[in-house]
PDB file of all heavy atoms in Angstrom:
ATOM      1  N   ASN A1342      -1.128  -3.483  -2.006  1.00 97.00           N
ATOM      2  CA  ASN A1342      -2.145  -2.498  -2.396  1.00 97.00           C
ATOM      3  C   ASN A1342      -3.560  -2.885  -2.023  1.00 97.00           C
ATOM      4  O   ASN A1342      -4.456  -2.026  -1.990  1.00 97.00           O
ATOM      5  CB  ASN A1342      -2.115  -2.266  -3.906  1.00 97.00           C
ATOM      6  CG  ASN A1342      -0.883  -1.484  -4.367  1.00 97.00           C
ATOM      7  OD1 ASN A1342      -0.239  -0.839  -3.534  1.00 97.00           O
ATOM      8  ND2 ASN A1342      -0.607  -1.495  -5.650  1.00 97.00           N
ATOM      9  N   PHE A1343      -3.810  -4.172  -1.780  1.00 98.00           N
ATOM     10  CA  PHE A1343      -5.187  -4.685  -1.679  1.00 98.00           C
ATOM     11  C   PHE A1343      -5.383  -5.393  -0.342  1.00 98.00           C
ATOM     12  O   PHE A1343      -4.572  -6.153   0.107  1.00 98.00           O
ATOM     13  CB  PHE A1343      -5.393  -5.694  -2.835  1.00 98.00           C
ATOM     14  CG  PHE A1343      -6.762  -6.329  -2.890  1.00 98.00           C
ATOM     15  CD1 PHE A1343      -7.687  -5.945  -3.833  1.00 98.00           C
ATOM     16  CD2 PHE A1343      -7.125  -7.355  -2.028  1.00 98.00           C
ATOM     17  CE1 PHE A1343      -8.922  -6.549  -3.937  1.00 98.00           C
ATOM     18  CE2 PHE A1343      -8.368  -7.965  -2.097  1.00 98.00           C
ATOM     19  CZ  PHE A1343      -9.272  -7.556  -3.068  1.00 98.00           C
ATOM     20  N   LEU A1344      -6.558  -5.108   0.286  1.00 98.00           N
ATOM     21  CA  LEU A1344      -6.923  -5.819   1.505  1.00 98.00           C
ATOM     22  C   LEU A1344      -8.414  -6.186   1.449  1.00 98.00           C
ATOM     23  O   LEU A1344      -9.261  -5.319   1.278  1.00 98.00           O
ATOM     24  CB  LEU A1344      -6.660  -4.965   2.747  1.00 98.00           C
ATOM     25  CG  LEU A1344      -7.084  -5.623   4.082  1.00 98.00           C
ATOM     26  CD1 LEU A1344      -6.227  -6.868   4.369  1.00 98.00           C
ATOM     27  CD2 LEU A1344      -6.980  -4.628   5.231  1.00 98.00           C
ATOM     28  N   LEU A1345      -8.687  -7.466   1.575  1.00 97.00           N
ATOM     29  CA  LEU A1345     -10.049  -7.954   1.701  1.00 97.00           C
ATOM     30  C   LEU A1345     -10.289  -8.273   3.172  1.00 97.00           C
ATOM     31  O   LEU A1345      -9.565  -9.062   3.764  1.00 97.00           O
ATOM     32  CB  LEU A1345     -10.261  -9.198   0.837  1.00 97.00           C
ATOM     33  CG  LEU A1345     -11.651  -9.811   0.805  1.00 97.00           C
ATOM     34  CD1 LEU A1345     -11.874 -10.579  -0.500  1.00 97.00           C
ATOM     35  CD2 LEU A1345     -11.940 -10.749   1.981  1.00 97.00           C
ATOM     36  N   LEU A1430      -1.749   2.904   3.878  1.00 96.00           N
ATOM     37  CA  LEU A1430      -3.022   2.277   3.731  1.00 96.00           C
ATOM     38  C   LEU A1430      -3.100   1.526   2.385  1.00 96.00           C
ATOM     39  O   LEU A1430      -2.510   1.964   1.422  1.00 96.00           O
ATOM     40  CB  LEU A1430      -4.161   3.320   3.752  1.00 96.00           C
ATOM     41  CG  LEU A1430      -4.618   3.876   5.081  1.00 96.00           C
ATOM     42  CD1 LEU A1430      -5.628   5.008   4.840  1.00 96.00           C
ATOM     43  CD2 LEU A1430      -5.258   2.785   5.940  1.00 96.00           C
ATOM     44  N   PRO A1431      -3.846   0.422   2.354  1.00 97.00           N
ATOM     45  CA  PRO A1431      -4.069  -0.231   1.061  1.00 97.00           C
ATOM     46  C   PRO A1431      -4.784   0.734   0.128  1.00 97.00           C
ATOM     47  O   PRO A1431      -5.619   1.527   0.579  1.00 97.00           O
ATOM     48  CB  PRO A1431      -4.958  -1.433   1.426  1.00 97.00           C
ATOM     49  CG  PRO A1431      -4.869  -1.568   2.889  1.00 97.00           C
ATOM     50  CD  PRO A1431      -4.531  -0.243   3.471  1.00 97.00           C
ATOM     51  N   GLU A1432      -4.491   0.669  -1.141  1.00 97.00           N
ATOM     52  CA  GLU A1432      -5.172   1.518  -2.099  1.00 97.00           C
ATOM     53  C   GLU A1432      -6.587   1.005  -2.384  1.00 97.00           C
ATOM     54  O   GLU A1432      -7.473   1.787  -2.768  1.00 97.00           O
ATOM     55  CB  GLU A1432      -4.394   1.556  -3.434  1.00 97.00           C
ATOM     56  CG  GLU A1432      -3.054   2.266  -3.322  1.00 97.00           C
ATOM     57  CD  GLU A1432      -2.339   2.311  -4.647  1.00 97.00           C
ATOM     58  OE1 GLU A1432      -2.880   1.825  -5.662  1.00 97.00           O
ATOM     59  OE2 GLU A1432      -1.189   2.820  -4.676  1.00 97.00           O
ATOM     60  N   TYR A1433      -6.800  -0.288  -2.157  1.00 98.00           N
ATOM     61  CA  TYR A1433      -8.100  -0.914  -2.473  1.00 98.00           C
ATOM     62  C   TYR A1433      -8.493  -1.775  -1.274  1.00 98.00           C
ATOM     63  O   TYR A1433      -7.819  -2.737  -0.927  1.00 98.00           O
ATOM     64  CB  TYR A1433      -7.981  -1.769  -3.718  1.00 98.00           C
ATOM     65  CG  TYR A1433      -9.283  -2.159  -4.348  1.00 98.00           C
ATOM     66  CD1 TYR A1433      -9.821  -1.426  -5.410  1.00 98.00           C
ATOM     67  CD2 TYR A1433      -9.995  -3.268  -3.913  1.00 98.00           C
ATOM     68  CE1 TYR A1433     -11.029  -1.774  -6.001  1.00 98.00           C
ATOM     69  CE2 TYR A1433     -11.197  -3.636  -4.506  1.00 98.00           C
ATOM     70  CZ  TYR A1433     -11.702  -2.896  -5.560  1.00 98.00           C
ATOM     71  OH  TYR A1433     -12.892  -3.247  -6.136  1.00 98.00           O
ATOM     72  N   ILE A1434      -9.603  -1.407  -0.625  1.00 98.00           N
ATOM     73  CA  ILE A1434     -10.078  -2.120   0.561  1.00 98.00           C
ATOM     74  C   ILE A1434     -11.435  -2.740   0.225  1.00 98.00           C
ATOM     75  O   ILE A1434     -12.424  -2.031  -0.065  1.00 98.00           O
ATOM     76  CB  ILE A1434     -10.197  -1.167   1.768  1.00 98.00           C
ATOM     77  CG1 ILE A1434      -8.823  -0.567   2.055  1.00 98.00           C
ATOM     78  CG2 ILE A1434     -10.723  -1.918   2.984  1.00 98.00           C
ATOM     79  CD1 ILE A1434      -8.841   0.641   2.957  1.00 98.00           C
ATOM     80  N   HIS A1435     -11.470  -4.038   0.231  1.00 98.00           N
ATOM     81  CA  HIS A1435     -12.644  -4.807  -0.171  1.00 98.00           C
ATOM     82  C   HIS A1435     -13.372  -5.335   1.066  1.00 98.00           C
ATOM     83  O   HIS A1435     -12.889  -6.209   1.754  1.00 98.00           O
ATOM     84  CB  HIS A1435     -12.151  -5.982  -1.047  1.00 98.00           C
ATOM     85  CG  HIS A1435     -13.210  -6.713  -1.786  1.00 98.00           C
ATOM     86  ND1 HIS A1435     -14.452  -6.164  -2.046  1.00 98.00           N
ATOM     87  CD2 HIS A1435     -13.220  -7.939  -2.377  1.00 98.00           C
ATOM     88  CE1 HIS A1435     -15.163  -7.043  -2.742  1.00 98.00           C
ATOM     89  NE2 HIS A1435     -14.455  -8.131  -2.956  1.00 98.00           N
ATOM     90  N   ILE A1484      -5.373   8.344  -3.194  1.00 97.00           N
ATOM     91  CA  ILE A1484      -6.702   7.872  -3.591  1.00 97.00           C
ATOM     92  C   ILE A1484      -6.923   6.474  -3.008  1.00 97.00           C
ATOM     93  O   ILE A1484      -6.119   5.568  -3.224  1.00 97.00           O
ATOM     94  CB  ILE A1484      -6.851   7.810  -5.121  1.00 97.00           C
ATOM     95  CG1 ILE A1484      -6.642   9.194  -5.733  1.00 97.00           C
ATOM     96  CG2 ILE A1484      -8.212   7.269  -5.507  1.00 97.00           C
ATOM     97  CD1 ILE A1484      -7.660  10.236  -5.324  1.00 97.00           C
ATOM     98  N   ILE A1485      -8.002   6.323  -2.230  1.00 98.00           N
ATOM     99  CA  ILE A1485      -8.343   5.041  -1.608  1.00 98.00           C
ATOM    100  C   ILE A1485      -9.701   4.599  -2.088  1.00 98.00           C
ATOM    101  O   ILE A1485     -10.672   5.372  -2.054  1.00 98.00           O
ATOM    102  CB  ILE A1485      -8.360   5.151  -0.059  1.00 98.00           C
ATOM    103  CG1 ILE A1485      -7.052   5.748   0.480  1.00 98.00           C
ATOM    104  CG2 ILE A1485      -8.675   3.771   0.553  1.00 98.00           C
ATOM    105  CD1 ILE A1485      -5.882   4.838   0.370  1.00 98.00           C
ATOM    106  N   THR A1486      -9.810   3.349  -2.513  1.00 98.00           N
ATOM    107  CA  THR A1486     -11.079   2.797  -2.941  1.00 98.00           C
ATOM    108  C   THR A1486     -11.600   1.806  -1.897  1.00 98.00           C
ATOM    109  O   THR A1486     -10.867   0.913  -1.445  1.00 98.00           O
ATOM    110  CB  THR A1486     -10.939   2.061  -4.285  1.00 98.00           C
ATOM    111  OG1 THR A1486     -10.542   2.983  -5.307  1.00 98.00           O
ATOM    112  CG2 THR A1486     -12.257   1.436  -4.692  1.00 98.00           C
ATOM    113  N   ILE A1487     -12.866   2.001  -1.508  1.00 98.00           N
ATOM    114  CA  ILE A1487     -13.568   1.015  -0.659  1.00 98.00           C
ATOM    115  C   ILE A1487     -14.562   0.307  -1.570  1.00 98.00           C
ATOM    116  O   ILE A1487     -15.431   0.947  -2.177  1.00 98.00           O
ATOM    117  CB  ILE A1487     -14.312   1.661   0.515  1.00 98.00           C
ATOM    118  CG1 ILE A1487     -13.324   2.347   1.474  1.00 98.00           C
ATOM    119  CG2 ILE A1487     -15.126   0.635   1.262  1.00 98.00           C
ATOM    120  CD1 ILE A1487     -13.997   3.046   2.641  1.00 98.00           C
ATOM    121  N   ASN A1488     -14.440  -1.000  -1.662  1.00 98.00           N
ATOM    122  CA  ASN A1488     -15.363  -1.777  -2.493  1.00 98.00           C
ATOM    123  C   ASN A1488     -16.304  -2.558  -1.587  1.00 98.00           C
ATOM    124  O   ASN A1488     -15.880  -3.246  -0.659  1.00 98.00           O
ATOM    125  CB  ASN A1488     -14.585  -2.749  -3.396  1.00 98.00           C
ATOM    126  CG  ASN A1488     -15.485  -3.394  -4.426  1.00 98.00           C
ATOM    127  OD1 ASN A1488     -15.938  -2.725  -5.354  1.00 98.00           O
ATOM    128  ND2 ASN A1488     -15.739  -4.672  -4.288  1.00 98.00           N
ATOM    129  N   GLY A1519     -16.515   1.448  -4.832  1.00 98.00           N
ATOM    130  CA  GLY A1519     -16.904   0.414  -5.772  1.00 98.00           C
ATOM    131  C   GLY A1519     -18.080  -0.330  -5.181  1.00 98.00           C
ATOM    132  O   GLY A1519     -18.128  -0.555  -3.966  1.00 98.00           O
ATOM    133  N   GLN A1521     -20.490  -3.815  -5.559  1.00 98.00           N
ATOM    134  CA  GLN A1521     -20.787  -5.123  -6.167  1.00 98.00           C
ATOM    135  C   GLN A1521     -22.148  -5.532  -5.655  1.00 98.00           C
ATOM    136  O   GLN A1521     -22.369  -5.701  -4.438  1.00 98.00           O
ATOM    137  CB  GLN A1521     -19.731  -6.163  -5.733  1.00 98.00           C
ATOM    138  CG  GLN A1521     -18.433  -6.077  -6.510  1.00 98.00           C
ATOM    139  CD  GLN A1521     -17.466  -7.170  -6.134  1.00 98.00           C
ATOM    140  OE1 GLN A1521     -16.375  -6.866  -5.646  1.00 98.00           O
ATOM    141  NE2 GLN A1521     -17.873  -8.418  -6.333  1.00 98.00           N
ATOM    142  N   HIS A1544     -16.695   2.413  -9.884  1.00 98.00           N
ATOM    143  CA  HIS A1544     -17.221   1.320 -10.677  1.00 98.00           C
ATOM    144  C   HIS A1544     -18.363   0.622  -9.954  1.00 98.00           C
ATOM    145  O   HIS A1544     -18.477   0.654  -8.713  1.00 98.00           O
ATOM    146  CB  HIS A1544     -16.128   0.297 -11.046  1.00 98.00           C
ATOM    147  CG  HIS A1544     -15.615  -0.491  -9.885  1.00 98.00           C
ATOM    148  ND1 HIS A1544     -16.249  -1.616  -9.404  1.00 98.00           N
ATOM    149  CD2 HIS A1544     -14.519  -0.336  -9.108  1.00 98.00           C
ATOM    150  CE1 HIS A1544     -15.541  -2.126  -8.390  1.00 98.00           C
ATOM    151  NE2 HIS A1544     -14.513  -1.359  -8.168  1.00 98.00           N
TER     152      HIS A1544
END
Side-chain angles (χ1 to χ4, degrees):
N1342 288 344
F1343 180 105
L1344 178 65
L1345 183 155
L1430 280 174
E1432 293 181 2
Y1433 196 96
I1434 301 165
H1435 192 19
I1484 301 296
I1485 306 290
T1486 298
I1487 297 178
N1488 190 71
Q1521 281 183 241
H1544 69 83

